[in-house]
């Protein structure tokens, strides 16, 4: 009977071990690849911390950053670009009726249409007459230069005394008065061509000397009239009666 001798399996098992290791390594690689693909598809893979993402809501549009008064995503006004309601400066047109009477647009020249004019002779100084002009209008009016007097049909205009010219134009607020004085005749009798006037016309000057200032005034005179001669002179318009009479 022939006896069969078994063949040692040592060499065969040794040869199969490398193949098994390679199979395990390949399977592990496939598993890792599958995991990586799954992570990428889910959007949960590893991210580089230096490439942080920014949501669409945090991105400012050009209109939000460039427009005055624009607000950020948190609702906080952009600094330096917001004006509070009602903080805008009001113009003269918006404040209708609130302008001061002295404003340029509310000033006119005084004349016979917006004033009440009276005259009276005084005992001191001798042979003097006081002219009073009261602003009866609603606007400030300027008494420019000096009054131009004319008694009856007098053909000459009395001169103004230069030494009475004020430093500024006399301006009358509504209800206020201005004054001028007239020397009617020479106290020593040296004047010529004396006459008694029964009608007096007072003309007003405009913004330039000898220009037409508007309506004239014809104040009442005493019943006996007013005596004058060639010495008749007038003062510039004054703020007070004492300045007009030189007292």
């Amino acid at each position: 009977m022939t006896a069969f001798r078994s063949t040692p399996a040592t060499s065969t098992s040794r040869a199969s071990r490398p193949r098994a290791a390679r199979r395990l390594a390949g399977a592990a690689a496939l598993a890792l690849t599958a995991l990586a693909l799954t992570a990428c598809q889910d959007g949960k893979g590893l991210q580089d911390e230096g490439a942080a993402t920014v949501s669409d809501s945090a991105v400012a549009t050009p209109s939000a950053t460039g427009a005055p008064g624009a607000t950020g995503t948190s609702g906080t006004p952009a600094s330096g670009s917001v004006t509070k309601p009602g903080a805008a400066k009001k113009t003269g047109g918006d404040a209708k009726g609130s302008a001061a009477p002295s404003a340029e647009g509310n000033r006119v020249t005084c004349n016979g249409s917006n004033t009440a004019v009276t005259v009276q002779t005084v005992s001191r100084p001798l042979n003097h007459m006081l002219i009073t002009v009261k602003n009866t209008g609603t606007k400030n009016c300027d008494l420019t230069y000096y009054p131009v007097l004319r008694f009856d049909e007098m053909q000459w205009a009395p001169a103004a005394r230069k030494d009475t010219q004020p430093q500024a134009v006399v301006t009358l607020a509504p209800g206020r008065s201005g004054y001028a004085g007239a020397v009617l005749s020479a106290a020593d009798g040296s004047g010529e061509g004396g006459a008694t006037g029964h009608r007096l016309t007072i003309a007003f000057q405009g913004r330039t000397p000898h220009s037409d200032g508007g309506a004239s005034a014809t104040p009442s005179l005493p019943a006996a009239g007013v005596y004058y001669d060639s010495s008749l002179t007038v003062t510039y318009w004054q703020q007070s009666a004492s300045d007009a009479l030189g007292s």
Side-chain angles (χ1 to χ4, degrees):
M1 181 175 188
T2 304
F4 291 94
R5 183 179 295 179
S6 60
T7 305
T10 302
S11 59
T12 303
S13 61
R14 290 178 180 176
S16 62
R17 287 177 183 175
R19 287 195 295 270
R22 285 195 296 271
R23 290 192 188 102
L24 290 174
L30 289 174
L32 290 175
T33 302
L35 289 173
L37 290 174
T38 303
C40 291
Q41 291 174 357
D42 293 342
K44 298 180 181 179
L46 296 178
Q47 296 181 355
D48 186 357
E49 293 181 357
T53 59
V54 180
S55 63
D56 293 340
S57 61
V59 179
T61 61
S63 61
T65 58
T71 59
T73 56
S74 63
T76 303
S79 61
S81 63
V82 176
T83 302
K84 294 181 180 180
K89 183 178 179 182
K90 293 183 179 181
T91 62
D94 293 335
K96 185 176 181 181
S98 63
S102 58
E104 188 64 29
N106 280 355
R107 292 178 61 178
V108 297
T109 55
C110 301
N111 57 42
S113 66
N114 55 18
T115 62
V117 182
T118 59
V119 297
Q120 65 179 105
T121 56
V122 297
S123 57
R124 291 288 184 272
L126 190 64
N127 300 336
H128 277 61
M129 180 176 69
L130 179 65
I131 305 169
T132 302
V133 176
K134 182 178 181 180
N135 183 356
T136 59
T138 59
K139 298 181 179 181
N140 285 4
C141 72
D142 294 333
L143 283 170
T144 53
Y145 306 106
Y146 52 87
V148 179
L149 307 184
R150 183 185 182 190
F151 283 104
D152 299 324
E153 301 301 322
M154 189 171 65
Q155 299 300 310
W156 54 279
R161 293 168 50 191
K162 294 292 293 182
D163 61 331
T164 64
Q165 184 173 2
Q167 293 182 349
V169 173
V170 175
T171 299
L172 304 181
R176 302 304 297 271
S177 298
Y179 308 88
V183 177
L184 296 172
S185 60
D188 59 2
S190 59
E192 300 177 352
T196 299
H198 295 278
R199 176 183 172 85
L200 174 63
T201 301
I202 299 178
F204 296 84
Q205 300 185 60
R207 300 294 180 184
T208 57
H210 310 297
S211 63
D212 185 4
S216 300
T218 54
S220 299
L221 296 179
V226 174
Y227 178 82
Y228 67 94
D229 63 20
S230 59
S231 301
L232 177 62
T233 57
V234 295
T235 68
Y236 280 74
W237 293 112
Q238 307 293 325
Q239 292 280 6
S240 68
S242 59
D243 288 340
L245 296 174
S247 58

